[in-house]
């Protein structure tokens, strides 16, 4: 890659990926590396900028992640953030102590300096702090550039050495001028030029893919999710009909979704599109099964049986492509949390598929392997992939299978698909879609008594679920306005056959999960 590079050295903080994303948003290509990456390797990568992340440790704890002094001598500007700031001071001979009063949350800092990193940042601004240690004495050659009421060294620097440090988290949106500070560091200090542009990414990747693939074939498993759809779009642009996308429709997608995926990729893109409809096979395998884990297992196993059979049928003499994205393959350097310096922790992910032993391709291609999700979406939009696919909500691999409690039958799938479609339509019309991270209907397999006209009914209950969240690790139930809920309830009971009652799930995560199974 010919782009300028910013290396984010990971000391185990929770916002590390966020730092990398912010750097990329500034138009600078960025990679996260473990804190113990050898200095020779860092030099060889020829970075333009280095950032030390935060982390949960104290620098004076001997088992905390440290770094060799040599890093400060390679001539590349460094910005230390939070733990990274303390580590810079400590390693260069300063002193770090426990705060009398820890700072957590939004804190006002005052900066009165001509520091390059505070350009266009007002004298007083709010930043996000989260620390129990602080730098009590600066190393030689450093001076303070910002303070808060409880932190005398909220920022400091040695501009001749191109070393900068901030105790707060500029990557978090609560830091009012955080992005400006990162931008200042990258552009004013490091001389970055902003050469990480999505248009260039598409052009360069298409060129590289053509060189790599030559006249061979490529097979991609398409799920209809964002990542595999964008990977398909890129590969199609690069090699057209040499690409075959295999789309397994187990009949557990949302209403009309399978047809939408097929139409999109056959009409808008040049490729071979193979759709395998296997709803009946799945229903037969799931007959009588009610245990959630067993249902998941069956759906997963059946899916890969069908998928690999189709791949064998198509031939394996070319490349196998996957929609793996950057966060799927980041190797974390999580300080003490994962026993730093011991075995590397590599995130496993459903995007990374384990191939059966008898299937051997010439190689694997991951065209999105360097991108974050928001960058994948930007590429998808530029490639002309429809908005609904590019901005698709997360959808579980087992599909509606985990939203139908108890045994899965064709009738229940139909009721849930219809109900889900009505709920989605009403949310879209109400204009609150953007505020919700995920929303869907669930069929709890409960029947209740109702009345319709003069008749008693005994029919299905539909539960609706809508959540707000940053990362899906925790989530809150969305405060959908009552009048929207009223319309949804009314339409579900009137328009969806076999539904006579609606409940709204007001459980946050934890203790609940987003999905019901
Ligand atoms: P939970 O239910 O664990 O869901 O709170 C968190 C997020 O993950 C999605 N989810 C899945 N995604 N395969 C997936 O690809 C799965 O088996 C799966 N189960 C849950 C869920 O929709 C939510 O966004």
């Amino acid at each position: 890659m010919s782009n300028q590079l910013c290396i984010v050295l990971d000391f185990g903080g929770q916002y590390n990926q966020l730092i990398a994303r912010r750097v990329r948003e500034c138009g600078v290509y960025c990679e996260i590396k473990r804190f113990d990456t050898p200095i020779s390797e860092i030099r060889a990568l020829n970075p333009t900028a280095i950032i030390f992340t935060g982390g949960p440790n104290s620098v004076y704890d001997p088992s905390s992640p440290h770094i060799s002094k040599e890093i400060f001598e390679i001539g590349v500007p460094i910005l230390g953030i939070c733990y990274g700031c303390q580590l810079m001071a400590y390693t260069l001979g300063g002193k770090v102590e426990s705060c009398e009063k820890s700072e957590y949350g939004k804190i006002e800092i005052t900066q009165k300096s001509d520091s390059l990193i505070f350009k266009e940042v007002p004298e007083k601004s709010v930043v996000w702090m989260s620390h129990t240690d602080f730098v009590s004495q600066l190393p030689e050659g450093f001076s303070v550039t910002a303070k808060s009421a409880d932190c005398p060294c909220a920022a400091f620097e040695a501009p001749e050495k191109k070393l900068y440090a901030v105790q707060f988290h500029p990557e978090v949106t609560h830091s009012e001028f955080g992005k400006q500070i990162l931008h200042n560091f990258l552009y004013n200090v490091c001389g970055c030029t902003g050469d990480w542009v999505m248009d260039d990414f598409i052009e360069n990747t298409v060129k590289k893919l053509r060189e790599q693939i030559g006249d061979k074939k490529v097979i991609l498993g398409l799920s209809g999710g964002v990542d595999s759809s964008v990977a398909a779009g890129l590969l199609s642009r690069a090699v057209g009909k040499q690409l075959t996308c295999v789309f397994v429709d187990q009949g557990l997608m949302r209403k009309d979704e399978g047809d939408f995926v097929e139409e999109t990729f056959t009409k808008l893109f040049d490729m071979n599109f193979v759709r395998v409809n296997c709803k009946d096979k799945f229903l037969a395998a799931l007959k009588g099964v009610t245990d959630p884990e067993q249902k998941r297992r069956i759906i997963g196993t059946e899916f890969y049986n069908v998928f690999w059979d189709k791949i064998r049928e198509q031939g394996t003499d070319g490349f196998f492509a996957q929609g793996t994205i950057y966060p799927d393959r980041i190797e974390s350097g999580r300080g003490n949390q994962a026993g730093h310096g011991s075995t590397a922790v590599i995130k496993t992910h459903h995007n990374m598929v384990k191939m059966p032993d008898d299937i051997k391709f010439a190689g694997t291609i991951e065209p999105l392997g360097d991108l974050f999700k928001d960058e994948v979406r930007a590429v998808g939009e530029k490639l002309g992939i429809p908005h609904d696919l590019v901005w698709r909500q997360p959808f579980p691999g087992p599909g509606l299978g985990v939203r139908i409690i108890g045994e899965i039958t064709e009738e229940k799938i139909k009721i849930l698909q219809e109900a889900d479609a009505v709920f989605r339509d009403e949310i879209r019309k109400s204009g609150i879609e953007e505020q919700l991270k995920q929303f869907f209907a669930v069929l709890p397999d409960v029947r209740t008594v109702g009345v319709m006209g003069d008749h008693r009914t005994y029919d299905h209950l539909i539960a609706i679920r809508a959540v707000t969240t940053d990362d899906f690790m925790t989530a809150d139930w969305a405060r959908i306005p009552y009048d929207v809920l009223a319309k949804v309830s009314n339409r579900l009971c009137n328009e969806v056959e076999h539904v006579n009652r609606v409940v709204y799930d007001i459980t946050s995560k934890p203790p609940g999960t987003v999905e019901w199974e």
Side-chain angles (χ1 to χ4, degrees):
M1 186 158 333
S2 55
N3 294 90
Q4 290 182 322
L5 169 68
C6 169
I7 292 181
V8 170
L9 279 183
D10 178 358
F11 289 91
Q14 57 179 319
Y15 303 127
N16 300 348
Q17 287 200 25
L18 197 54
I19 298 175
R21 277 172 52 196
R22 293 280 177 263
V23 171
R24 299 245 189 128
E25 280 166 21
C26 289
V28 178
Y29 182 69
C30 179
E31 284 198 8
I32 301 173
K33 298 279 176 201
R34 285 176 60 100
F35 70 91
D36 53 2
T37 305
I39 306 285
S40 56
E41 201 179 301
I42 294 175
R43 267 185 208 274
L45 288 166
N46 192 23
T48 307
I50 295 176
I51 297 178
F52 291 179
T53 73
N57 306 85
S58 286
V59 287
Y60 42 77
D61 172 355
S63 65
S64 62
H66 286 107
I67 193 155
S68 155
K69 243 186 185 170
E70 222 188 304
I71 189 86
F72 301 105
E73 289 153 16
I74 62 177
V76 179
I78 300 177
L79 173 67
I81 294 176
C82 197
Y83 176 83
C85 133
Q86 295 161 9
L87 186 71
M88 182 186 285
Y90 178 81
T91 313
L92 293 172
K95 213 166 152 193
V96 176
E97 290 179 75
S98 184
C99 304
E100 259 177 37
K101 193 171 159 204
S102 343
E103 284 182 307
Y104 182 80
K106 290 183 179 178
I107 305 280
E108 187 179 73
I109 56 162
T110 306
Q111 67 89 20
K112 239 189 197 167
S113 69
D114 50 8
S115 169
L116 289 175
I117 69 164
F118 285 114
K119 245 183 152 178
E120 289 175 47
V121 177
E123 191 179 321
K124 288 189 186 303
S125 68
V126 170
V127 297
W128 184 259
M129 290 276 198
S130 171
H131 65 117
T132 46
D133 290 345
F134 79 114
V135 176
S136 56
Q137 196 183 311
L138 290 180
E140 223 180 280
F142 280 77
S143 56
V144 171
T145 50
K147 298 176 181 183
S148 71
D150 292 304
C151 183
C153 289
F156 53 88
E157 65 188 38
E160 328 69 60
K161 297 179 188 150
K162 301 199 172 183
L163 301 179
Y164 293 79
V166 289
Q167 180 56 68
F168 53 89
H169 288 274
E171 69 277 19
V172 173
T173 46
H174 302 308
S175 291
E176 282 178 308
F177 291 86
K179 196 159 175 199
Q180 179 70 44
I181 291 168
L182 285 173
H183 187 278
N184 286 342
F185 172 68
L186 294 165
Y187 285 77
N188 302 343
V189 176
C190 307
C192 290
T193 54
D195 61 359
W196 177 245
V197 186
M198 282 305 116
D199 279 331
D200 295 352
F201 172 84
I202 294 177
E203 202 178 303
N204 295 338
T205 307
V206 163
K207 201 164 136 231
K208 263 194 308 200
L209 287 170
R210 282 187 186 142
E211 280 164 15
Q212 188 181 1
I213 297 166
D215 58 3
K216 288 202 161 64
K217 293 198 295 185
V218 187
I219 290 195
L220 172 81
L222 188 70
S223 68
V226 184
D227 305 340
S228 64
S229 296
V230 176
L234 260 179
L235 283 159
S236 159
R237 166 112 26 132
V239 297
K241 284 259 177 326
Q242 285 165 252
L243 169 68
T244 299
C245 286
V246 174
F247 171 53
V248 177
D249 186 349
Q250 359 81 314
L252 294 168
M253 298 188 82
R254 287 173 284 214
K255 188 183 177 190
D256 299 332
E257 205 165 28
D259 295 344
F260 174 62
V261 171
E262 176 171 355
E263 203 178 299
T264 300
F265 287 98
T266 49
K267 286 212 176 125
L268 298 183
F269 293 93
D270 189 25
M271 64 169 66
N272 299 304
F273 186 90
V274 178
R275 176 171 175 179
V276 193
N277 287 321
C278 45
K279 183 171 166 187
D280 293 344
K281 193 174 162 68
F282 274 70
L283 282 176
L286 288 163
K287 196 165 170 44
V289 183
T290 54
D291 176 67
E293 274 312 302
Q294 206 187 343
K295 276 161 62 181
R296 269 180 183 270
R297 243 187 332 268
I298 292 171
I299 297 171
T301 311
E302 285 297 322
F303 178 89
Y304 281 112
N305 286 343
V306 171
F307 180 69
W308 294 122
D309 278 351
K310 203 47 154 184
I311 297 288
R312 287 185 190 97
E313 200 182 300
Q314 293 291 318
T316 56
D317 48 338
F319 289 92
F320 181 68
Q322 302 191 88
T324 317
I325 69 170
Y326 188 54
D328 302 337
R329 55 182 200 89
I330 295 176
E331 196 181 326
S332 165
R334 289 204 167 269
N336 273 349
Q337 290 168 357
H340 84 272
S342 57
T343 23
V345 185
I346 300 177
K347 224 177 125 192
T348 52
H349 193 273
H350 64 277
N351 274 351
M352 289 172 155
V353 178
K354 174 146 181 12
M355 206 176 282
D357 292 339
D358 68 301
I359 295 186
K360 299 218 171 0
F361 281 94
T364 301
I365 294 176
E366 295 175 336
L368 309 176
D370 288 329
L371 302 190
F372 283 106
K373 195 80 165 192
D374 36 9
E375 294 172 315
V376 172
R377 292 200 160 109
V379 169
E381 289 199 323
K382 286 193 187 296
L383 288 169
I385 296 174
H387 182 273
D388 279 2
L389 271 183
V390 169
W391 290 98
R392 191 178 189 253
Q393 293 177 12
F395 189 61
L400 300 184
V402 293
R403 295 179 183 167
I404 293 172
I405 313 307
E407 187 187 7
I408 299 168
T409 64
E410 188 151 18
E411 190 201 21
K412 289 184 199 167
I413 296 174
K414 176 101 174 67
I415 296 172
L416 183 57
Q417 281 179 333
E418 294 298 330
D420 189 67
V422 167
F423 180 37
R424 305 178 70 72
D425 181 54
E426 206 47 56
I427 289 292
R428 201 162 278 192
K429 283 185 182 150
S430 70
I432 60 168
E433 189 178 6
E434 303 283 309
Q435 296 159 36
L436 311 178
K437 277 290 167 69
Q438 199 174 6
F439 53 95
F440 52 86
V442 176
L443 190 81
D445 204 16
V446 169
R447 283 167 189 244
T448 70
V449 172
V451 56
M452 195 162 279
D454 294 332
H455 298 283
R456 174 187 185 273
T457 59
Y458 184 59
D459 242 328
H460 278 283
L461 161 81
I462 282 287
I464 50 179
R465 179 85 166 130
V467 295
T468 54
T469 173
D470 281 334
D471 54 11
F472 292 97
M473 306 289 282
T474 60
D476 198 4
W477 60 276
R479 278 24 173 202
I480 297 181
Y482 279 175
D483 56 342
V484 178
L485 287 174
K487 272 191 213 147
V488 171
S489 162
N490 204 10
R491 282 191 60 190
L492 284 172
C493 291
N494 282 309
E495 294 175 29
V496 184
E497 220 181 324
H498 298 300
V499 171
N500 70 350
R501 189 178 297 268
V502 180
V503 294
Y504 185 36
D505 179 351
I506 53 166
T507 322
S508 49
K509 174 185 178 176
T513 48
V514 174
E515 302 289 347
W516 276 37
E517 277 194 346

